[in-house]
Amino acid sequence: MIPMADENPVRHFPWCTVLLILTCTVVYFGVQPFKAIHFSWSGIAESVSVNDQRFVVDHAGIPCELVRGRPLTEQEYEDTFDNGNADACTHGSGPEHDPGKNVYFAAFLTMFLHVSIPHLFGNMLFLWVFGNNIEDRKGWWRFLLLYLVGGAIATATQVAIDPSSTVPIIGASGAIAAVMGAYLVCYPKARVKSIIFFGPILLRKVTAQWLLVIWFLLQFEYVASTAGVAWGAHVGGFSFGILVGLYWRLRERAGRRALPPPVAAPVPA
């Protein structure tokens, strides 16, 4: 199921959500090395250059680097991208592929990198559908904090699951998963217009709780597959978002209980 829009109006324009979408889009088209993009009736085809591969490796978070606290060595880089070994992390030393890389800052930057136009479009669509309501409800700075901390926890979860991986963790999906988890708690009954691929393609309205729970369960399908999806980041971010959403709900209920009882209006004589 792909969400297209929700029937959940906002009171204020979601500036922070829009700026995050613009930032990811500008980084993909303006900062990441140029990709050769070909349009045809069958869709969009992209050819990734060696420069783009090196850019991603030099700027994205990589589990091995975060565990070892240093950039990939040249040998680890060659074993991964020339020989196809996704777990080429070693204890050995050697010349570093990018000696100037700050591996911890890269874990932050990785939330703004994407590997393809469909990857970028899908993430930004999910961010728009679910992010604007969370920003509207809790304010821009709480929303941004949820996004950034959720993205960091998502990356940490993926690193904990596969610490020897030398493949970059790329994309905003872990941070967006945190927003989705909070949305599930805050707006479980909201109706979401979705495209459903089930044999024929259907356009239906489903409640957020069904759509998001099914999305969460589908992440575990990637465990036994070779899809190359950082499912651990999705699970970690989504779980964090649920916890934050529950905390917000408890604070809101406590705030309502602390309000003085309403005073009855005087009855006219």
Side-chain angles (χ1 to χ4, degrees):
M1 292 186 288
I2 299 178
M4 302 304 295
D6 63 346
E7 297 180 342
N8 198 4
V10 296
R11 298 164 298 174
H12 309 97
F13 187 80
W15 290 106
C16 188
T17 303
V18 171
L19 287 175
L20 286 173
I21 292 172
L22 289 176
T23 299
C24 290
T25 303
V26 169
V27 167
Y28 183 80
F29 288 104
V31 179
Q32 291 184 231
F34 180 77
K35 299 176 178 63
I37 302 174
H38 309 282
F39 297 90
S40 65
W41 291 110
S42 59
I44 301 172
E46 299 175 58
S47 56
V48 180
S49 67
V50 174
N51 289 335
D52 188 67
Q53 175 180 292
R54 285 184 173 273
F55 179 89
V56 169
V57 173
D58 293 346
H59 294 86
I62 301 176
C64 176
E65 293 184 337
L66 294 169
V67 170
R68 304 294 179 205
R70 45 107 179 136
L72 294 181
T73 64
E74 285 289 358
Q75 186 62 52
E76 290 168 338
Y77 180 88
E78 292 175 5
D79 289 343
T80 302
F81 298 100
D82 294 340
N83 302 325
N85 181 7
D87 295 297
C89 194
T90 65
H91 293 277
S93 59
E96 294 178 344
H97 174 70
D98 181 15
K101 180 179 181 179
N102 185 319
V103 299
Y104 303 109
F105 184 59
F108 168 78
L109 290 179
T110 203
M111 287 186 277
F112 301 94
L113 303 177
H114 291 83
V115 297
S116 66
I117 290 177
H119 185 212
L120 173 68
F121 176 78
N123 274 350
M124 297 306 99
L125 176 63
F126 273 70
L127 178 57
W128 172 254
V129 172
F130 300 111
N132 56 7
N133 291 109
I134 297 299
E135 180 183 350
D136 185 62
R137 179 167 179 155
K138 302 307 296 183
W140 71 268
W141 71 268
R142 290 187 181 90
F143 166 73
L144 183 60
L145 192 63
L146 168 69
Y147 182 92
L148 296 177
V149 176
I153 289 177
T155 299
T157 304
Q158 185 66 28
V159 171
I161 290 173
D162 194 4
S164 63
S165 173
T166 47
V167 177
I169 304 170
I170 306 170
S173 54
I176 297 169
V179 176
M180 293 162 61
Y183 191 101
L184 174 62
V185 176
C186 295
Y187 303 104
K189 301 296 185 181
R191 295 175 65 81
V192 183
K193 300 175 183 177
S194 306
I195 297 177
I196 303 173
F197 297 91
F198 187 70
I201 299 177
L202 306 175
L203 181 61
R204 293 287 187 273
K205 297 177 183 179
V206 297
T207 59
Q209 61 187 358
W210 282 109
L211 187 147
L212 294 174
V213 167
I214 290 173
W215 178 90
F216 180 73
L217 294 177
L218 284 175
Q219 303 314 300
F220 296 95
E221 289 286 330
Y222 296 120
V223 178
S225 72
T226 57
V229 176
W231 66 273
H234 296 175
V235 171
F238 193 83
S239 301
F240 173 74
I242 288 176
L243 293 176
V244 172
L246 290 172
Y247 171 75
W248 285 343
R249 290 289 296 272
L250 290 174
R251 288 292 301 271
E252 289 170 358
R253 290 178 182 176
R256 286 194 294 268
R257 287 197 296 267
L259 293 175
V263 178
V267 179

